[in-house]
Amino acid sequence: MTPPLNRALEWTSPETQPLLLAGLSFLALTLFSVAVWPKLKLLWNARPDERCDRILERIALTLKVAFGQSKLMQEKGAGWMHALIFWGFLILLFRAAEFFFIGFFPTTNFSFPATDTIFMAYAWVKDAAVLMVSLAVSFALYRRLILKPARLTLSAEGLLILLLILAIMVSDAIFDSAFLALHPESHVGPIGMVLAPVLGIAGENILGNLHSTAYWLHISSILIFLVLLPRSKHFHILTSIPNVFFSNLNPGNNLYRIDFEEEESFGVTNGKEFNWKQMLDLHTCTQCGRCDRACPAWATGKPLSPQQLTVDLRDQLNSTQSSDINVIDDEVIWSCTTCGACEAACPVMIDYVDKIIDLRRGLVLTEDRYPKEFATAFKSLETQSNPWGFPKASRSDWAKELGIPIWDKTKPTEYLYFVGCNGSFDTRGKKISTAVVQTLKQAGVEFSILGNDEGCTGDPARRAGNEYLFDMLASANAETFKEQGVRKVVTHCPHCLNSLKNEYPEFGATLEVIHHSELLQKLIQEGKLSPQKKSEEKIVFHDSCYLGRHNNIYEAPREVLNASTKPGTVKEVEQSRETGTCCGAGGARFLLEENTGTRMSHHRLDELMVTEPDTIAVACPYCVLMLEDAVKAKNLNVQVKDIGEMLAKKID
Ligand code: SF4
Ligand code: SF4
């Protein structure tokens, strides 16, 4: 005999039941659409952005990050809790569909040979999901109400959503259990089997009412949830999967080149000037606070909280009033080092750097408002092609005694060594360039420099929001590369590397650009450099944001270090690789005074000093500057060295 279907409801007749459900669903969908429509319209009318390329890569990323919850699970406890709720929800989508089917088709009966087997398998999986989600939600409530971690703010909205989810789970369990108690010959999942004998104590009348109550509680909780979604931060439940799918796949900061001939306004001064993906980002924030915890500006008392910035920009975007971004304090925008730590931490792949640079462009190019230190730097970059105003004609003075050939297009060398402004003019930076030259010569690498024809890549101008100046500097260098037939470039500055490698192709310069750590690694592997002496000092390695997070180069500098040190002497701190903390120089911040809060370089130095090192090894000349200044200010007995310098010492 076919067991009775779990759908006979006490409260409604087979005629009124679909009508009642249709009415409630229509009301909920209308309220949902009223809130979603303006958001869709915003996205539809926003600036375009190409995000439909490399579909297979996007699918793989979505499977890993969105469905596999890989980024969330990097955090034990809360990460697992969210992941369990997410997976449970995916399974329970089918259950929600079943509930609506029951409501709309109270008398329809599907039956085919494998019905019972399929149904029972589904009932077990579904009950496992109900249990999983109930436990995760209970843990979430426990965290919010009892543990109260600092980064979580207790909001009525958050509690309501958790209670609604719990109501959906409890009503699911009672619906099955009451039905089994009423019809012992029917089949339900394990939760129903356990609870039915308990509920069975009640009379038939109570059980019937309980069954109907559970049904309508389940349906109304789902519908209330739907209405609340677009009106709360839980909108991310709908947007996070597409946000991950359309996320940035390119290295670097993914900044777009402004067409100064065509465009009428530059940068973003009004929320509506963001592109559609940036707007989708703003609507996807789960307000989990992971970005704040990773942000060096926030950690050192600057007014920039990446999470708050997102919330403020989103609220302005959705406000019916003006979407002018002027309510965001300028200092918030200038506090960012463009380090990307927030992006690496964000479980739903929200980008920050592109938005912050767009806001800076708006301030610099449209509103002509920026920190006073930038005024001098912009002038120096424009006239002398370096941010400090050293004479252009003295760019290659550092190399005079070293006998480095100047690039000759009739006799090109294998590599062009792009020295960068720091390596050409800064007293400390020049020592690094000299050490790099020494290692390359020792290994017999054929290289030359552009001499006084080299100009600033424009990185500081671009990160400071002066896209016009960047365009000018990048165009000039790109022209030189083309004219001179340059193909392969090595540089010891990760900021130069990032610009030349990721941003110059738009200017027509397609180069093979490598960092000195990569070239040194290769030379060591080929046996062209073999450090005889091994250092025994205690070393800690500091990751540069533009080498690591922005260009995914983590191993090369470590291998170079390991080649010149005794095993076990190189230590790692907790905040390394993807979670490494910025030294404070990026985003053109090395040009600015740091008057608010503590210095980011001091904060980073404190993290590194936990390992009690003799030497801090670095692969970026700006990190060397920042950390060395911090060491002096704190009067500590530790050296800060570039990996090139450390290697040079071991091979001379
Ligand atoms: S890029 Fe770095 S400094 Fe800027 S908001 Fe993100 S974490 Fe903070
Ligand atoms: S931006 Fe990302 S990391 Fe920051 S609060 Fe939002 S979801 Fe969390």
Side-chain angles (χ1 to χ4, degrees):
M1 185 187 96
T2 312
L5 284 169
N6 193 353
R7 63 176 53 153
L9 299 180
E10 280 289 312
W11 294 357
T12 43
S13 69
E15 291 75 35
T16 54
Q17 186 173 303
L19 286 176
L20 180 59
L21 183 60
L24 288 175
S25 305
F26 179 76
L27 182 66
L29 281 172
T30 308
L31 292 172
F32 173 81
S33 309
V34 164
V36 167
W37 179 242
K39 297 180 198 299
L40 278 178
K41 227 166 78 180
L42 272 176
L43 259 64
W44 186 256
N45 294 327
R47 252 191 317 121
D49 190 25
E50 172 53 54
R51 297 289 176 121
C52 292
D53 56 339
R54 296 148 78 180
I55 293 293
L56 290 179
E57 252 179 89
R58 293 189 180 282
I59 293 173
L61 186 78
T62 310
L63 289 175
K64 184 174 155 216
V65 176
F67 290 99
Q69 301 276 291
S70 60
K71 289 188 97 179
L72 258 178
M73 288 200 301
Q74 283 163 3
E75 189 180 17
K76 295 179 192 85
W80 273 96
M81 177 192 77
H82 281 106
L84 288 180
I85 296 179
F86 175 80
W87 291 324
F89 257 62
L90 285 185
I91 297 169
L92 292 170
L93 276 180
F94 294 98
R95 176 63 161 173
E98 189 197 347
F99 262 76
F100 280 89
F101 186 86
I102 291 170
F104 282 123
F105 307 101
T107 51
T108 310
N109 193 357
F110 282 115
S111 187
F112 51 91
T115 307
D116 282 356
T117 318
I118 294 172
F119 175 77
M120 280 320 289
Y122 160 72
W124 276 78
V125 173
K126 183 270 295 177
D127 274 5
V130 168
L131 197 64
M132 204 160 79
V133 175
S134 304
L135 288 176
V137 170
S138 306
F139 177 64
L141 284 169
Y142 171 70
R143 272 182 87 223
R144 276 162 182 76
L145 298 171
I146 314 284
L147 293 181
K148 298 182 182 166
R151 75 184 170 92
L152 276 185
T153 39
L154 186 67
S155 73
E157 173 206 309
L159 278 181
L160 179 61
I161 293 282
L162 286 174
L163 290 174
L164 276 175
I165 300 175
L166 207 55
I168 295 172
M169 299 306 116
V170 172
S171 57
D172 185 293
I174 294 178
F175 181 75
D176 277 359
S177 317
F179 190 75
L180 185 62
L182 280 168
H183 305 278
E185 73 283 17
S186 64
H187 298 314
V188 296
I191 294 182
M193 291 185 220
V194 172
L195 291 183
V198 184
L199 295 185
I201 301 166
E204 216 169 276
N205 188 28
I206 294 179
L207 283 175
N209 278 310
L210 205 56
H211 185 237
S212 286
T213 309
Y215 178 83
W216 290 110
L217 176 64
H218 196 92
I219 290 286
S220 44
S221 300
I222 290 176
L223 294 177
I224 294 172
F225 193 72
L226 187 72
V227 172
L228 285 181
L229 270 190
R231 292 170 173 81
S232 72
K233 67 172 188 168
H234 292 84
F235 194 45
H236 76 263
I237 293 174
L238 298 178
T239 55
S240 51
I241 295 175
N243 203 60
V244 171
F245 181 82
F246 292 118
S247 59
N248 172 33
L249 299 180
N250 299 320
N253 306 147
N254 203 35
L255 306 178
Y256 78 101
R257 185 181 178 183
I258 295 179
D259 185 340
F260 287 98
E261 306 273 298
E262 291 293 322
E263 292 179 39
E264 283 163 10
S265 69
F266 311 124
V268 168
T269 53
N270 176 309
K272 301 220 166 36
E273 289 164 345
F274 282 120
N275 69 42
W276 69 268
K277 177 57 178 59
Q278 291 172 319
M279 290 186 186
L280 185 62
D281 268 2
L282 298 178
H283 284 103
T284 303
C285 180
T286 68
Q287 289 173 245
C288 66
R290 285 172 175 81
C291 50
D292 281 356
R293 281 188 295 150
C295 177
W298 184 243
T300 54
K302 313 289 182 286
L304 166 64
S305 145
Q307 174 182 210
Q308 194 56 45
L309 178 65
T310 295
V311 171
D312 288 346
L313 290 172
R314 183 194 64 199
D315 289 350
Q316 279 160 40
L317 202 56
N318 290 328
S319 146
T320 44
Q321 313 295 312
S322 145
S323 308
D324 209 313
I325 53 142
N326 273 336
V327 291
I328 291 175
D329 196 277
D330 286 8
E331 203 186 342
V332 169
I333 298 167
W334 295 118
S335 293
C336 177
T337 68
T338 68
C339 71
C342 49
E343 300 175 347
C346 180
V348 286
M349 311 273 298
I350 288 174
D351 282 339
Y352 269 99
V353 177
D354 62 340
K355 290 189 208 78
I356 286 173
I357 298 291
D358 270 345
L359 293 171
R360 288 183 177 184
R361 287 173 176 179
L363 287 179
V364 173
L365 301 175
T366 304
E367 306 207 339
D368 197 23
R369 211 168 72 229
Y370 44 85
K372 62 180 186 327
E373 299 94 319
F374 280 158
T376 330
F378 290 160
K379 186 96 203 127
S380 303
L381 282 164
E382 192 184 333
T383 55
Q384 305 302 335
S385 204
N386 71 80
W388 305 287
F390 291 103
K392 219 175 176 169
S394 66
R395 193 169 187 103
S396 60
D397 285 3
W398 70 276
K400 272 187 182 149
E401 310 297 317
L402 301 173
I404 310 166
I406 301 292
W407 183 273
D408 177 351
K409 68 174 170 191
T410 61
K411 287 183 280 171
T413 49
E414 184 182 2
Y415 288 99
L416 171 80
Y417 175 29
F418 194 94
V419 187
C421 299
N422 181 297
S424 301
F425 296 110
D426 183 80
T427 315
R428 180 68 183 87
K430 287 191 264 188
K431 289 185 186 157
I432 300 174
S433 319
T434 306
V436 173
V437 167
Q438 194 187 332
T439 55
L440 299 186
K441 282 190 169 179
Q442 176 83 21
V445 176
E446 257 195 26
F447 71 99
S448 46
I449 57 174
L450 279 175
N452 295 340
D453 285 342
E454 183 186 291
C456 176
T457 56
D459 163 88
R462 189 167 226 200
R463 267 78 204 159
N466 195 338
E467 184 68 10
Y468 188 79
L469 187 52
F470 168 72
D471 204 292
M472 193 182 99
L473 294 164
S475 304
N477 275 323
E479 199 47 46
T480 309
F481 293 139
K482 273 189 273 175
E483 257 178 31
Q484 298 294 327
V486 176
R487 292 271 170 273
K488 283 165 95 172
V489 174
V490 59
T491 177
H492 70 266
C493 175
H495 299 268
C496 294
L497 170 103
N498 183 64
S499 256
L500 297 174
K501 188 173 173 176
N502 303 320
E503 300 176 345
Y504 272 45
E506 263 199 291
F507 292 81
T510 316
L511 307 161
E512 186 191 318
V513 189
I514 58 169
H515 189 243
H516 75 319
S517 61
E518 295 173 290
L519 182 55
L520 295 177
Q521 176 196 32
K522 181 170 165 269
L523 295 170
I524 290 168
Q525 283 167 357
E526 289 169 353
K528 291 182 181 159
L529 278 178
S530 42
Q532 300 304 317
K533 302 172 243 169
K534 300 273 181 190
S535 166
E536 289 185 36
E537 53 195 334
K538 278 195 278 176
I539 295 164
V540 62
F541 182 67
H542 159 80
D543 283 284
S544 141
C545 309
Y546 272 77
L547 190 65
R549 262 192 301 270
H550 292 314
N551 283 286
N552 203 23
I553 301 171
Y554 294 109
E555 294 312 322
R558 286 175 168 81
E559 275 195 32
V560 173
L561 260 186
N562 287 333
S564 55
T565 51
K566 284 249 164 79
T569 50
V570 182
K571 302 280 177 233
E572 295 276 353
V573 279
E574 192 193 328
Q575 305 82 358
S576 72
R577 296 177 185 260
E578 288 83 358
T579 58
T581 309
C582 178
C583 69
R589 280 207 53 96
F590 69 96
L591 294 166
L592 298 180
E593 295 294 334
E594 200 175 330
N595 297 322
T596 308
T598 48
R599 287 179 179 268
M600 293 190 232
S601 56
H602 291 203
H603 172 68
R604 179 53 172 163
L605 183 62
D606 290 345
E607 289 177 353
L608 295 166
M609 290 308 290
V610 168
T611 59
E612 300 177 347
D614 301 312
T615 300
I616 298 171
V618 181
C620 168
Y622 288 100
C623 297
V624 171
L625 276 190
M626 299 300 279
L627 292 172
E628 220 167 60
D629 280 354
V631 166
K632 279 183 207 146
K634 287 181 168 257
N635 203 16
L636 294 175
N637 186 21
V638 60
Q639 305 184 78
V640 183
K641 295 266 181 214
D642 181 87
I643 51 158
E645 291 180 294
M646 295 176 73
L647 186 65
K649 246 176 85 183
K650 300 295 163 199
I651 54 173
D652 60 6

